[in-house]
Amino acid sequence: MPSNLLKTTVAAGLLLALSGCFDSSTQTSADSEGTEIHLAMMVPPRTGLSPLSDDAFKLSRWSTAETLVELNDQAEALPKLATEWKQVDDLTWQFTLRDGVVFHDGSKLTAEMVINSIDKAFEAAPKPRIIDGINWQVRAVNDKVVEIKTDFNDPLLPSRLSSPQLAILSANAYQENGRVNPTRAGSGPFVLTEINGATSAKLERYEDYWGEKAKIERITAEYVPDGFARAAALRTGKADVVEAVPVSQLAMIDPELLHEVNMPRTNTLYLNSQSEVFSQLEMRKIAAAAIDRKQIIETVYENRAAYAEGLLGPALAWAAPLRPEAPKLEQGLKANGEKVVLGTFTDRAELPEVAVLVKQQLENAGFNVELDIREYGQIENDALAGNFDIFMLSRATVIDSGDPVAYMMSDFSCEGSYNLGQFCSEDVDAALTHADLQPLGEARQKAIIEAEQKILGEYAAIPLLHERVIQGESLRMNNAVRDPRERLLITEHTDVN
Protein backbone atom coordinates (compact mmCIF):
# COMPACT_ATOMS: atom_id res chain seq x y z
CA MET A 1 0.00 0.00 0.00
CA PRO A 2 1.45 3.46 -0.88
CA SER A 3 2.59 5.42 2.17
CA ASN A 4 0.19 8.34 1.63
CA LEU A 5 -2.77 5.98 1.29
CA LEU A 6 -1.69 4.11 4.40
CA LYS A 7 -1.46 7.38 6.38
CA THR A 8 -4.90 8.42 5.16
CA THR A 9 -6.39 5.06 6.14
CA VAL A 10 -4.81 5.23 9.60
CA ALA A 11 -6.03 8.79 10.08
CA ALA A 12 -9.58 7.84 9.10
CA GLY A 13 -9.59 5.04 11.64
CA LEU A 14 -8.31 7.33 14.36
CA LEU A 15 -10.87 9.98 13.49
CA LEU A 16 -13.69 7.49 13.90
CA ALA A 17 -12.51 6.90 17.45
CA LEU A 18 -12.72 10.64 18.11
CA SER A 19 -16.12 11.19 16.57
CA GLY A 20 -17.83 11.18 19.95
CA CYS A 21 -16.07 14.42 20.86
CA PHE A 22 -15.82 15.95 17.39
CA ASP A 23 -19.49 15.44 16.62
CA SER A 24 -20.57 17.89 13.95
CA SER A 25 -24.13 17.75 15.23
CA THR A 26 -23.04 19.54 18.40
CA GLN A 27 -21.51 22.46 16.52
CA THR A 28 -23.59 25.58 16.22
CA SER A 29 -23.48 28.26 13.60
CA ALA A 30 -23.03 31.94 14.30
CA ASP A 31 -26.69 32.72 13.68
CA SER A 32 -27.94 30.10 16.17
CA GLU A 33 -28.44 30.56 19.88
CA GLY A 34 -24.86 30.82 21.10
CA THR A 35 -21.68 29.64 19.44
CA GLU A 36 -19.51 26.63 20.17
CA ILE A 37 -16.10 25.75 18.81
CA HIS A 38 -14.09 22.55 18.90
CA LEU A 39 -10.32 22.47 19.40
CA ALA A 40 -7.89 19.65 18.65
CA MET A 41 -5.07 20.09 21.15
CA MET A 42 -1.83 18.25 20.56
CA VAL A 43 -0.57 17.18 24.00
CA PRO A 44 -2.81 15.75 26.74
CA PRO A 45 -2.50 17.28 30.21
CA ARG A 46 0.26 15.85 32.36
CA THR A 47 -0.90 16.93 35.81
CA GLY A 48 -4.65 17.29 35.62
CA LEU A 49 -4.34 20.84 34.21
CA SER A 50 -2.39 22.11 37.20
CA PRO A 51 -1.13 25.63 36.49
CA LEU A 52 2.13 24.73 38.23
CA SER A 53 3.14 22.50 35.30
CA ASP A 54 3.27 22.88 31.52
CA ASP A 55 -0.49 22.32 31.59
CA ALA A 56 -0.65 26.02 32.51
CA PHE A 57 -0.22 26.87 28.83
CA LYS A 58 -3.51 25.18 28.00
CA LEU A 59 -5.27 27.27 30.63
CA SER A 60 -3.67 30.34 29.08
CA ARG A 61 -4.49 29.34 25.49
CA TRP A 62 -8.12 28.87 26.48
CA SER A 63 -8.20 32.26 28.25
CA THR A 64 -9.45 30.84 31.53
CA ALA A 65 -6.47 31.59 33.84
CA GLU A 66 -4.81 35.01 33.88
CA THR A 67 -1.52 36.44 35.11
CA LEU A 68 -0.60 39.77 36.69
CA VAL A 69 1.28 40.81 33.54
CA GLU A 70 1.04 39.88 29.87
CA LEU A 71 3.52 40.27 27.01
CA ASN A 72 2.95 41.88 23.64
CA ASP A 73 4.45 40.69 20.35
CA GLN A 74 7.73 42.46 21.18
CA ALA A 75 7.91 40.69 24.59
CA GLU A 76 7.18 43.96 26.40
CA ALA A 77 5.33 43.70 29.72
CA LEU A 78 1.76 45.04 29.71
CA PRO A 79 -0.95 45.23 32.41
CA LYS A 80 -3.30 42.30 33.00
CA LEU A 81 -4.50 41.59 36.56
CA ALA A 82 -2.00 44.22 37.68
CA THR A 83 -2.62 47.67 36.20
CA GLU A 84 0.76 49.17 37.06
CA TRP A 85 4.03 48.44 38.83
CA LYS A 86 7.17 50.20 39.97
CA GLN A 87 10.62 49.26 41.17
CA VAL A 88 10.96 50.83 44.61
CA ASP A 89 14.65 49.94 44.96
CA ASP A 90 17.10 47.43 43.50
CA LEU A 91 15.39 44.49 45.24
CA THR A 92 11.79 45.65 45.67
CA TRP A 93 8.86 45.89 43.27
CA GLN A 94 5.23 46.85 43.93
CA PHE A 95 2.24 45.81 41.79
CA THR A 96 -1.16 47.48 41.92
CA LEU A 97 -4.09 45.10 41.30
CA ARG A 98 -6.99 45.71 38.94
CA ASP A 99 -10.35 46.65 40.49
CA GLY A 100 -13.49 44.68 39.74
CA VAL A 101 -11.92 41.26 39.07
CA VAL A 102 -14.13 38.39 40.23
CA PHE A 103 -12.96 34.79 39.96
CA HIS A 104 -15.18 32.18 38.41
CA ASP A 105 -16.18 30.89 41.85
CA GLY A 106 -17.39 34.35 42.90
CA SER A 107 -14.42 35.34 45.06
CA LYS A 108 -12.68 38.68 44.45
CA LEU A 109 -9.10 39.43 43.48
CA THR A 110 -7.13 40.64 46.50
CA ALA A 111 -3.49 40.92 47.46
CA GLU A 112 -3.85 37.80 49.62
CA MET A 113 -5.15 35.82 46.63
CA VAL A 114 -2.07 36.85 44.63
CA ILE A 115 0.30 36.00 47.47
CA ASN A 116 -1.32 32.58 47.88
CA SER A 117 -0.88 31.69 44.19
CA ILE A 118 2.74 32.85 44.15
CA ASP A 119 3.52 30.99 47.39
CA LYS A 120 2.04 27.78 45.96
CA ALA A 121 4.26 28.13 42.90
CA PHE A 122 7.37 28.40 45.08
CA GLU A 123 6.27 25.38 47.13
CA ALA A 124 5.79 23.24 44.01
CA ALA A 125 8.22 20.44 43.18
CA PRO A 126 9.55 21.04 40.64
CA LYS A 127 9.10 24.77 40.66
CA PRO A 128 7.82 26.52 37.54
CA ARG A 129 10.78 27.16 35.22
CA ILE A 130 10.45 30.91 35.43
CA ILE A 131 11.28 30.95 39.15
CA ASP A 132 13.72 28.07 39.12
CA GLY A 133 16.77 29.03 41.21
CA ILE A 134 15.42 32.33 42.55
CA ASN A 135 13.71 33.41 45.79
CA TRP A 136 11.01 35.99 46.48
CA GLN A 137 9.52 37.47 49.62
CA VAL A 138 5.94 38.48 48.86
CA ARG A 139 3.71 40.58 51.11
CA ALA A 140 0.62 42.75 50.94
CA VAL A 141 1.18 46.49 51.23
CA ASN A 142 -2.61 46.78 51.34
CA ASP A 143 -5.54 44.93 49.80
CA LYS A 144 -4.69 46.19 46.31
CA VAL A 145 -0.88 46.38 46.32
CA VAL A 146 1.50 43.40 46.37
CA GLU A 147 5.20 43.82 47.13
CA ILE A 148 7.85 41.40 45.88
CA LYS A 149 11.40 41.43 47.25
CA THR A 150 14.07 39.57 45.33
CA ASP A 151 17.55 38.48 46.39
CA PHE A 152 19.15 40.16 43.35
CA ASN A 153 18.35 43.08 41.05
CA ASP A 154 16.05 41.31 38.62
CA PRO A 155 15.16 43.37 35.53
CA LEU A 156 12.91 40.55 34.29
CA LEU A 157 10.59 40.39 37.27
CA PRO A 158 7.50 41.87 35.54
CA SER A 159 8.11 39.59 32.56
CA ARG A 160 8.46 36.58 34.87
CA LEU A 161 4.99 37.31 36.22
CA SER A 162 3.59 36.88 32.70
CA SER A 163 4.38 33.15 32.75
CA PRO A 164 1.18 31.07 32.60
CA GLN A 165 2.68 28.97 35.40
CA LEU A 166 2.28 32.01 37.65
CA ALA A 167 -1.42 32.44 36.88
CA ILE A 168 -3.49 33.78 39.76
CA LEU A 169 -6.29 31.43 40.80
CA SER A 170 -8.87 31.64 43.54
CA ALA A 171 -7.97 30.14 46.92
CA ASN A 172 -10.39 27.25 46.34
CA ALA A 173 -8.17 25.87 43.57
CA TYR A 174 -5.41 24.86 45.99
CA GLN A 175 -6.23 21.65 47.82
CA GLU A 176 -4.85 20.28 51.08
CA ASN A 177 -3.20 17.34 49.30
CA GLY A 178 -1.06 19.77 47.30
CA ARG A 179 -2.98 19.38 44.07
CA VAL A 180 -4.42 22.30 42.14
CA ASN A 181 -7.87 22.10 40.54
CA PRO A 182 -8.38 25.00 38.11
CA THR A 183 -12.08 24.25 37.54
CA ARG A 184 -14.08 27.46 38.08
CA ALA A 185 -11.00 29.04 39.65
CA GLY A 186 -9.67 31.43 37.00
CA SER A 187 -10.55 35.01 36.14
CA GLY A 188 -10.49 34.95 32.33
CA PRO A 189 -13.29 35.37 29.78
CA PHE A 190 -13.91 31.60 29.75
CA VAL A 191 -14.82 29.37 32.72
CA LEU A 192 -13.27 25.91 32.83
CA THR A 193 -16.32 23.82 33.72
CA GLU A 194 -15.27 20.25 33.06
CA ILE A 195 -12.02 18.26 33.06
CA ASN A 196 -12.26 14.81 31.49
CA GLY A 197 -8.83 13.44 32.31
CA ALA A 198 -6.59 13.08 29.28
CA THR A 199 -9.58 13.08 26.93
CA SER A 200 -11.11 16.57 26.85
CA ALA A 201 -12.07 19.73 28.69
CA LYS A 202 -15.04 22.07 28.39
CA LEU A 203 -15.36 25.80 28.90
CA GLU A 204 -18.15 28.35 28.87
CA ARG A 205 -18.25 32.11 28.47
CA TYR A 206 -17.87 34.00 31.77
CA GLU A 207 -20.67 36.52 31.92
CA ASP A 208 -19.06 38.58 34.73
CA TYR A 209 -15.64 38.96 33.12
CA TRP A 210 -13.90 42.22 34.07
CA GLY A 211 -13.04 42.95 30.44
CA GLU A 212 -14.88 42.60 27.15
CA LYS A 213 -17.33 39.73 27.13
CA ALA A 214 -16.28 36.78 24.95
CA LYS A 215 -18.01 36.31 21.60
CA ILE A 216 -17.81 32.51 21.75
CA GLU A 217 -20.23 30.84 24.16
CA ARG A 218 -18.73 27.36 24.57
CA ILE A 219 -15.44 25.59 23.88
CA THR A 220 -14.78 21.86 23.71
CA ALA A 221 -11.07 21.05 23.74
CA GLU A 222 -10.16 17.51 22.72
CA TYR A 223 -6.64 16.08 23.19
CA VAL A 224 -5.51 14.44 19.97
CA PRO A 225 -1.86 13.35 20.27
CA ASP A 226 -1.87 11.65 16.87
CA GLY A 227 -0.97 14.19 14.20
CA PHE A 228 -2.75 12.30 11.40
CA ALA A 229 -5.98 12.36 13.40
CA ARG A 230 -5.63 16.10 14.06
CA ALA A 231 -5.15 16.71 10.35
CA ALA A 232 -8.18 14.57 9.52
CA ALA A 233 -10.28 16.49 12.06
CA LEU A 234 -9.39 19.73 10.29
CA ARG A 235 -9.89 18.34 6.81
CA THR A 236 -13.34 16.94 7.60
CA GLY A 237 -14.54 19.94 9.62
CA LYS A 238 -14.74 18.06 12.92
CA ALA A 239 -12.44 20.62 14.57
CA ASP A 240 -12.42 24.40 14.21
CA VAL A 241 -8.86 24.99 15.42
CA VAL A 242 -6.09 22.39 15.26
CA GLU A 243 -2.68 22.64 16.89
CA ALA A 244 0.43 21.59 14.95
CA VAL A 245 -0.80 20.06 11.71
CA PRO A 246 1.89 17.60 10.57
CA VAL A 247 3.90 18.60 7.51
CA SER A 248 3.25 15.19 5.99
CA GLN A 249 -0.49 15.94 5.86
CA LEU A 250 -0.40 19.41 4.30
CA ALA A 251 -0.81 18.24 0.71
CA MET A 252 -4.19 16.71 1.58
CA ILE A 253 -5.62 19.86 3.22
CA ASP A 254 -7.09 23.00 1.66
CA PRO A 255 -4.32 25.63 1.90
CA GLU A 256 -6.89 28.19 3.08
CA LEU A 257 -7.15 26.22 6.33
CA LEU A 258 -3.41 26.33 7.06
CA HIS A 259 -1.43 29.11 8.72
CA GLU A 260 2.36 28.95 9.14
CA VAL A 261 3.92 30.49 12.24
CA ASN A 262 7.66 30.88 12.88
CA MET A 263 8.24 29.53 16.34
CA PRO A 264 10.87 30.15 19.03
CA ARG A 265 11.08 26.37 19.18
CA THR A 266 14.14 24.24 18.52
CA ASN A 267 14.28 20.54 17.76
CA THR A 268 17.30 19.50 19.82
CA LEU A 269 19.26 16.36 20.65
CA TYR A 270 20.22 16.37 24.34
CA LEU A 271 23.34 14.22 24.87
CA ASN A 272 23.51 12.63 28.31
CA SER A 273 26.86 13.81 29.68
CA GLN A 274 26.57 11.27 32.53
CA SER A 275 26.04 8.24 30.30
CA GLU A 276 28.86 5.80 29.64
CA VAL A 277 29.24 6.92 26.03
CA PHE A 278 28.56 10.65 26.07
CA SER A 279 30.39 11.42 29.28
CA GLN A 280 33.32 11.62 26.83
CA LEU A 281 33.57 14.94 24.98
CA GLU A 282 35.07 13.27 21.92
CA MET A 283 32.07 10.97 21.58
CA ARG A 284 29.74 13.97 21.78
CA LYS A 285 31.76 15.62 18.99
CA ILE A 286 31.49 12.50 16.83
CA ALA A 287 27.72 12.52 17.28
CA ALA A 288 27.52 16.22 16.43
CA ALA A 289 29.61 15.77 13.28
CA ALA A 290 27.37 12.90 12.15
CA ILE A 291 24.19 14.97 11.99
CA ASP A 292 22.97 16.13 8.58
CA ARG A 293 20.43 18.87 9.33
CA LYS A 294 19.77 19.60 5.67
CA GLN A 295 18.60 16.03 5.05
CA ILE A 296 16.23 16.19 8.04
CA ILE A 297 14.73 19.53 7.00
CA GLU A 298 14.23 18.49 3.39
CA THR A 299 12.99 14.97 4.08
CA VAL A 300 10.76 15.33 7.12
CA TYR A 301 9.80 19.03 7.16
CA GLU A 302 9.64 19.55 3.39
CA ASN A 303 11.77 22.68 3.91
CA ARG A 304 9.26 24.18 6.37
CA ALA A 305 11.89 24.65 9.09
CA ALA A 306 15.07 26.68 9.60
CA TYR A 307 18.58 25.21 9.82
CA ALA A 308 19.81 25.50 13.41
CA GLU A 309 23.07 27.39 13.88
CA GLY A 310 22.43 27.62 17.61
CA LEU A 311 19.87 27.04 20.33
CA LEU A 312 17.99 30.25 19.45
CA GLY A 313 16.38 30.55 16.07
CA PRO A 314 15.10 33.22 13.65
CA ALA A 315 12.07 33.98 15.82
CA LEU A 316 14.61 35.89 17.93
CA ALA A 317 15.90 38.18 15.20
CA TRP A 318 18.72 39.55 17.37
CA ALA A 319 20.41 36.18 17.96
CA ALA A 320 22.02 35.38 14.60
CA PRO A 321 23.86 38.72 14.12
CA LEU A 322 25.50 38.30 17.54
CA ARG A 323 26.48 34.66 17.07
CA PRO A 324 30.07 33.87 16.00
CA GLU A 325 30.76 31.34 13.28
CA ALA A 326 30.59 27.81 14.62
CA PRO A 327 33.91 25.95 14.95
CA LYS A 328 34.51 23.31 12.30
CA LEU A 329 34.32 19.74 13.52
CA GLU A 330 36.83 17.24 12.19
CA GLN A 331 35.11 15.08 9.61
CA GLY A 332 35.47 11.34 9.25
CA LEU A 333 35.65 10.58 12.98
CA LYS A 334 34.00 7.27 13.76
CA ALA A 335 32.58 5.57 16.81
CA ASN A 336 33.43 1.92 17.47
CA GLY A 337 30.01 0.37 17.70
CA GLU A 338 29.09 2.00 21.00
CA LYS A 339 25.45 1.30 21.81
CA VAL A 340 23.25 4.31 22.56
CA VAL A 341 19.52 4.64 23.21
CA LEU A 342 17.72 7.52 21.54
CA GLY A 343 14.39 8.47 23.08
CA THR A 344 11.66 10.75 21.80
CA PHE A 345 7.87 10.96 21.73
CA THR A 346 4.94 10.62 19.36
CA ASP A 347 2.95 13.70 20.38
CA ARG A 348 4.72 15.77 17.72
CA ALA A 349 4.23 13.79 14.55
CA GLU A 350 7.56 14.75 12.97
CA LEU A 351 9.74 13.58 15.87
CA PRO A 352 9.53 9.81 15.21
CA GLU A 353 10.43 10.44 11.56
CA VAL A 354 13.36 12.64 12.58
CA ALA A 355 14.47 9.96 15.05
CA VAL A 356 14.68 7.39 12.26
CA LEU A 357 16.91 9.69 10.19
CA VAL A 358 19.10 10.58 13.20
CA LYS A 359 19.47 6.87 13.93
CA GLN A 360 20.70 6.26 10.37
CA GLN A 361 23.11 9.20 10.51
CA LEU A 362 24.59 8.11 13.84
CA GLU A 363 24.90 4.52 12.65
CA ASN A 364 26.76 5.77 9.58
CA ALA A 365 29.20 7.30 12.07
CA GLY A 366 29.72 3.98 13.85
CA PHE A 367 27.18 4.07 16.68
CA ASN A 368 24.75 1.24 17.41
CA VAL A 369 21.45 3.05 18.00
CA GLU A 370 18.28 1.77 19.65
CA LEU A 371 15.08 3.84 19.44
CA ASP A 372 12.59 4.23 22.28
CA ILE A 373 9.53 6.19 21.12
CA ARG A 374 6.41 6.65 23.28
CA GLU A 375 3.80 9.25 24.13
CA TYR A 376 5.34 12.10 26.10
CA GLY A 377 3.37 11.34 29.26
CA GLN A 378 4.85 7.85 29.28
CA ILE A 379 8.45 8.84 28.60
CA GLU A 380 9.01 12.11 30.50
CA ASN A 381 10.01 10.52 33.83
CA ASP A 382 12.62 8.31 32.14
CA ALA A 383 13.97 11.30 30.23
CA LEU A 384 14.31 13.44 33.35
CA ALA A 385 15.96 10.54 35.18
CA GLY A 386 18.69 10.36 32.54
CA ASN A 387 17.70 6.92 31.26
CA PHE A 388 18.59 7.75 27.65
CA ASP A 389 21.94 8.42 26.01
CA ILE A 390 20.17 10.88 23.71
CA PHE A 391 16.78 12.49 24.08
CA MET A 392 15.24 14.42 21.23
CA LEU A 393 12.89 17.23 22.16
CA SER A 394 10.99 19.96 20.39
CA ARG A 395 11.69 22.73 22.91
CA ALA A 396 10.19 26.18 23.25
CA THR A 397 13.00 28.61 24.05
CA VAL A 398 11.18 31.75 25.26
CA ILE A 399 7.87 30.31 26.38
CA ASP A 400 7.86 31.75 29.90
CA SER A 401 9.05 35.35 29.93
CA GLY A 402 9.83 36.25 26.34
CA ASP A 403 13.49 35.85 27.35
CA PRO A 404 15.53 32.67 26.77
CA VAL A 405 17.58 32.73 29.97
CA ALA A 406 14.96 30.78 31.93
CA TYR A 407 14.91 28.02 29.31
CA MET A 408 18.72 27.83 29.24
CA MET A 409 18.96 27.69 33.03
CA SER A 410 16.26 25.03 33.22
CA ASP A 411 17.90 22.84 30.58
CA PHE A 412 21.64 23.45 31.01
CA SER A 413 22.43 24.66 34.53
CA CYS A 414 23.66 22.19 37.13
CA GLU A 415 20.48 22.54 39.18
CA GLY A 416 18.13 22.98 36.22
CA SER A 417 14.71 21.41 36.67
CA TYR A 418 14.57 20.15 33.06
CA ASN A 419 18.17 19.08 32.56
CA LEU A 420 17.58 16.18 30.18
CA GLY A 421 21.30 15.89 29.42
CA GLN A 422 22.33 15.64 33.10
CA PHE A 423 24.74 18.43 32.17
CA CYS A 424 26.77 20.45 34.69
CA SER A 425 29.46 23.02 33.99
CA GLU A 426 30.69 25.75 36.34
CA ASP A 427 31.59 27.90 33.34
CA VAL A 428 28.12 27.57 31.85
CA ASP A 429 26.46 28.26 35.21
CA ALA A 430 28.55 31.41 35.61
CA ALA A 431 27.69 32.57 32.08
CA LEU A 432 23.98 31.99 32.63
CA THR A 433 24.04 33.81 35.96
CA HIS A 434 25.85 36.73 34.33
CA ALA A 435 23.29 36.87 31.49
CA ASP A 436 20.39 36.83 33.93
CA LEU A 437 21.75 39.88 35.76
CA GLN A 438 21.98 42.04 32.64
CA PRO A 439 19.36 44.69 31.88
CA LEU A 440 16.99 44.13 28.99
CA GLY A 441 18.53 45.10 25.68
CA GLU A 442 21.80 44.57 23.82
CA ALA A 443 23.96 43.81 26.88
CA ARG A 444 21.62 41.01 27.89
CA GLN A 445 21.41 39.67 24.36
CA LYS A 446 25.20 39.51 24.01
CA ALA A 447 25.50 37.71 27.36
CA ILE A 448 22.84 35.20 26.30
CA ILE A 449 24.72 34.35 23.09
CA GLU A 450 27.97 34.00 25.07
CA ALA A 451 26.25 31.48 27.33
CA GLU A 452 24.77 29.68 24.33
CA GLN A 453 28.25 29.35 22.81
CA LYS A 454 29.63 27.81 26.01
CA ILE A 455 26.82 25.23 26.00
CA LEU A 456 27.40 24.41 22.35
CA GLY A 457 31.16 24.29 22.92
CA GLU A 458 30.62 21.46 25.40
CA TYR A 459 28.37 19.68 22.87
CA ALA A 460 25.81 19.28 25.64
CA ALA A 461 23.13 19.53 22.98
CA ILE A 462 22.89 19.39 19.21
CA PRO A 463 20.28 21.82 17.86
CA LEU A 464 18.84 20.42 14.64
CA LEU A 465 16.30 22.92 13.36
CA HIS A 466 13.90 25.68 14.33
CA GLU A 467 10.28 24.81 13.74
CA ARG A 468 7.49 26.56 11.94
CA VAL A 469 4.21 25.35 13.33
CA ILE A 470 1.22 24.94 11.06
CA GLN A 471 -2.02 25.92 12.79
CA GLY A 472 -5.24 24.73 11.22
CA GLU A 473 -8.40 26.83 11.31
CA SER A 474 -11.79 26.19 9.74
CA LEU A 475 -13.06 28.87 7.38
CA ARG A 476 -15.70 29.91 9.91
CA MET A 477 -13.10 30.99 12.47
CA ASN A 478 -12.22 34.63 13.08
CA ASN A 479 -9.44 35.96 15.31
CA ALA A 480 -7.99 32.71 16.56
CA VAL A 481 -4.52 33.73 17.75
CA ARG A 482 -1.41 32.46 15.94
CA ASP A 483 0.98 32.89 18.81
CA PRO A 484 4.69 32.02 18.45
CA ARG A 485 4.97 31.71 22.24
CA GLU A 486 2.00 29.31 22.44
CA ARG A 487 0.30 31.32 25.18
CA LEU A 488 -2.83 32.40 23.33
CA LEU A 489 -5.21 30.59 21.04
CA ILE A 490 -8.81 31.53 21.86
CA THR A 491 -9.57 34.94 23.39
CA GLU A 492 -12.61 37.11 24.03
CA HIS A 493 -12.17 38.46 20.48
CA THR A 494 -12.36 35.05 18.78
CA ASP A 495 -15.57 34.56 16.80
CA VAL A 496 -17.11 32.45 14.07
CA ASN A 497 -18.91 33.36 10.87
Side-chain angles (χ1 to χ4, degrees):
M1 181 181 291
S3 60
N4 284 343
L5 181 58
L6 176 61
K7 289 178 178 178
T8 302
T9 304
V10 171
L14 289 164
L15 186 60
L16 285 174
L18 296 167
S19 60
C21 290
F22 290 132
D23 184 350
S24 60
S25 67
T26 66
Q27 296 185 15
T28 56
S29 64
D31 58 1
S32 66
E33 183 181 349
T35 51
E36 180 174 358
I37 60 172
H38 291 70
L39 314 179
M41 310 297 292
M42 182 174 62
V43 180
R46 301 162 189 167
T47 59
L49 290 176
S50 168
L52 304 180
S53 72
D54 277 348
D55 291 355
F57 292 87
K58 291 181 176 58
L59 303 178
S60 177
R61 283 169 77 71
W62 301 334
S63 292
T64 186
E66 297 182 311
T67 50
L68 291 176
V69 176
E70 65 178 357
L71 299 181
N72 64 11
D73 293 342
Q74 288 74 45
E76 297 168 330
L78 300 177
K80 194 66 173 180
L81 294 182
T83 56
E84 60 182 3
W85 49 89
K86 61 182 178 180
Q87 188 170 12
V88 178
D89 57 44
D90 284 352
L91 304 181
T92 308
W93 293 74
Q94 291 183 351
F95 294 80
T96 301
L97 305 183
R98 185 179 297 278
D99 288 327
V101 177
V102 179
F103 290 101
H104 300 153
D105 63 2
S107 58
K108 294 182 179 180
L109 175 68
T110 64
E112 290 303 325
M113 289 279 199
V114 172
I115 293 168
N116 184 58
S117 289
I118 293 175
D119 284 347
K120 297 300 183 185
F122 273 89
E123 293 168 7
K127 290 181 183 178
R129 287 183 300 269
I130 198 66
I131 55 174
D132 190 23
I134 66 176
N135 294 294
W136 291 349
Q137 295 178 7
V138 188
R139 74 176 187 93
V141 175
N142 56 49
D143 199 43
K144 286 297 180 183
V145 177
V146 174
E147 182 177 275
I148 299 178
K149 282 188 175 290
T150 64
D151 53 8
F152 66 97
N153 189 349
D154 184 3
L156 272 187
L157 193 141
S159 297
R160 291 186 196 276
L161 289 169
S162 74
S163 169
Q165 292 182 325
L166 295 182
I168 308 303
L169 299 185
S170 70
N172 290 330
Y174 303 95
Q175 302 173 356
E176 291 183 2
N177 59 9
R179 295 181 179 176
V180 187
N181 182 356
T183 306
R184 299 186 184 277
S187 61
F190 293 99
V191 183
L192 179 61
T193 59
E194 192 175 316
I195 299 175
N196 299 309
T199 302
S200 65
K202 294 188 175 183
L203 303 97
E204 296 179 358
R205 180 170 62 204
Y206 184 38
E207 301 298 336
D208 295 322
Y209 181 53
W210 59 265
E212 181 181 334
K213 186 183 293 187
K215 293 180 171 62
I216 296 294
E217 186 174 83
R218 292 180 298 276
I219 301 171
T220 297
E222 170 78 4
Y223 311 119
V224 189
D226 186 273
F228 302 136
R230 287 198 308 280
L234 176 66
R235 190 172 60 250
T236 60
K238 299 295 184 181
D240 294 298
V241 181
V242 175
E243 289 188 315
V245 180
V247 170
S248 62
Q249 296 293 292
L250 300 184
M252 294 181 281
I253 299 174
D254 182 347
E256 287 190 87
L257 307 182
L258 303 171
H259 305 276
E260 190 168 322
V261 184
N262 267 321
M263 302 295 286
R265 178 176 285 279
T266 304
N267 186 329
T268 304
L269 299 178
Y270 290 77
L271 304 185
N272 187 342
S273 62
Q274 301 299 317
S275 75
E276 181 178 353
V277 176
F278 291 124
S279 60
Q280 305 170 60
L281 177 60
E282 285 306 310
M283 298 305 295
R284 300 201 296 271
K285 287 184 176 181
I286 293 171
I291 299 302
D292 183 347
R293 295 168 175 82
K294 188 171 183 287
Q295 181 191 31
I296 294 169
I297 292 170
E298 291 179 349
T299 304
V300 179
Y301 289 84
E302 299 178 10
N303 287 318
R304 292 178 181 263
Y307 187 102
E309 300 284 358
L311 298 171
L312 308 177
L316 298 176
W318 52 264
L322 296 175
R323 182 179 294 123
E325 185 177 351
K328 299 296 183 183
L329 280 167
E330 184 179 346
Q331 298 300 304
L333 295 176
K334 293 286 184 179
N336 294 305
E338 286 86 353
K339 180 178 179 181
V340 296
V341 179
L342 166 60
T344 193
F345 49 97
T346 58
D347 304 58
R348 289 187 175 270
E350 292 82 10
L351 292 186
E353 296 183 62
V354 175
V356 171
L357 279 182
V358 170
K359 178 179 187 292
Q360 293 173 356
Q361 292 173 3
L362 290 174
E363 287 180 339
N364 288 340
F367 291 99
N368 177 9
V369 183
E370 175 186 333
L371 295 181
D372 186 343
I373 303 174
R374 309 174 228 160
E375 285 191 9
Y376 186 84
Q378 299 172 353
I379 205 169
E380 181 186 46
N381 288 340
D382 282 338
L384 289 170
N387 292 339
F388 300 100
D389 299 282
I390 311 171
F391 193 78
M392 183 169 65
L393 182 70
S394 172
R395 183 70 159 127
T397 57
V398 295
I399 196 168
D400 295 304
S401 67
D403 179 86
V405 173
Y407 138 73
M408 295 168 80
M409 282 189 160
S410 177
D411 288 27
F412 301 109
S413 70
C414 293
E415 301 299 325
S417 62
Y418 204 68
N419 192 337
L420 296 173
Q422 314 299 305
F423 176 72
C424 183
S425 162
E426 290 183 4
D427 285 347
V428 168
D429 273 15
L432 289 172
T433 299
H434 172 69
D436 203 27
L437 292 173
Q438 302 309 303
L440 294 174
E442 187 176 353
R444 188 177 187 88
Q445 293 167 358
K446 287 182 177 179
I448 289 169
I449 294 300
E450 288 171 4
E452 177 203 61
Q453 293 303 297
K454 288 184 180 296
I455 294 166
L456 296 177
E458 293 285 345
Y459 298 90
I462 305 171
L464 302 178
L465 55 94
H466 307 295
E467 295 184 4
R468 300 171 189 150
V469 167
I470 311 298
Q471 180 167 304
E473 300 172 18
S474 70
L475 293 180
R476 74 184 196 124
M477 290 301 303
N478 295 315
N479 297 321
V481 183
R482 299 159 195 164
D483 181 14
R485 291 190 296 266
E486 299 179 300
R487 294 181 175 209
L488 297 175
L489 184 63
I490 305 301
T491 72
E492 63 269 33
H493 306 297
T494 305
D495 201 357
V496 295
N497 296 324

